[in-house]
Amino acid sequence: MRKKRTLLLSVLTAALLLTSCGKSGSGDAADVNLIGPLSDIMDTVYENADLSQDFRDSMEGSFDSGEIPADSAEYMIGTADVEYAESYYSMPMINAVPYQCILLRLPEGADVEAAKQTISDNADPRKWICVEAESVVVENVGEVILFVMGDTNTTNAIRSAFLALGE
């Protein structure tokens, strides 16, 4: 009887230790809320992303950024069916480069997964007509959604830097 109790106690202790040593959430950063203006979050993502020097050079002076104008939301996001409380975009002023990066903060209690699915379903990597993005990424950390289109290396670097904010 004593061996059974010791074994049970050992198993429970091991389970508790394994649970407490794991990352919180399911790895999707759903339980983390990013605070501060989206412009600051975007700056942090760009600072921490493993971007090529060519990309960083192209950002200097040739990128536009700011809150998404209401009359451009459907074009930029691909749909008018996602309600958001705050937005911020970053993209080249000349559309010869198929790239855009958008952050959306959803209202409290919004269905983040449904919003991500709507964005993914409506993303148009050919919206620039003459050029096409290789990769479309839609991720979230808490109620903030990242929507980025561009070449695969750039979008992967942006995704990694963004998701790291939730760790």
Side-chain angles (χ1 to χ4, degrees):
M1 180 74 163
R2 185 175 181 142
K3 286 183 180 182
K4 285 184 181 179
R5 240 188 269 163
T6 304
L7 179 62
L8 180 61
L9 184 59
S10 297
V11 169
L12 289 174
T13 303
L16 181 61
L17 286 172
L18 289 173
T19 302
S20 66
C21 290
K23 290 185 179 180
S24 64
S26 60
D28 64 2
D31 297 331
V32 175
N33 283 319
L34 300 178
I35 57 172
L38 293 181
S39 59
D40 291 350
I41 294 169
M42 183 80 75
D43 289 345
T44 301
V45 168
Y46 279 140
E47 287 171 17
N48 295 325
D50 184 20
L51 299 168
S52 72
Q53 190 58 49
D54 286 343
F55 184 84
R56 289 191 184 281
D57 291 345
S58 73
M59 290 177 65
E60 295 298 319
S62 67
F63 267 45
D64 189 22
S65 60
E67 187 172 333
I68 297 174
D71 62 344
S72 298
E74 187 169 358
Y75 171 73
M76 293 174 79
I77 300 169
T79 181
D81 296 335
V82 174
E83 181 183 347
Y84 53 89
E86 184 183 356
S87 66
Y88 195 79
Y89 73 90
S90 172
M91 63 182 63
M93 289 185 273
I94 299 171
N95 288 337
V97 177
Y99 174 81
Q100 73 172 27
C101 187
I102 293 175
L103 294 175
L104 301 173
R105 187 183 310 271
L106 300 186
E108 187 174 328
D111 186 341
V112 175
E113 291 304 315
K116 286 171 49 179
Q117 189 63 54
T118 300
I119 293 168
S120 292
D121 291 346
N122 291 283
D124 182 7
R126 294 206 51 151
K127 74 180 197 172
W128 297 280
I129 311 295
C130 296
V131 292
E132 180 176 358
E134 292 176 347
S135 176
V136 175
V137 170
V138 181
E139 294 285 357
N140 75 291
V141 173
E143 80 287 351
V144 176
I145 293 177
L146 167 74
F147 171 38
V148 61
M149 296 193 293
D151 69 82
T152 303
N153 290 336
T154 301
T155 59
N156 285 342
I158 297 293
R159 169 194 278 147
S160 294
F162 176 74
L163 291 177
L165 298 176
E167 295 178 350

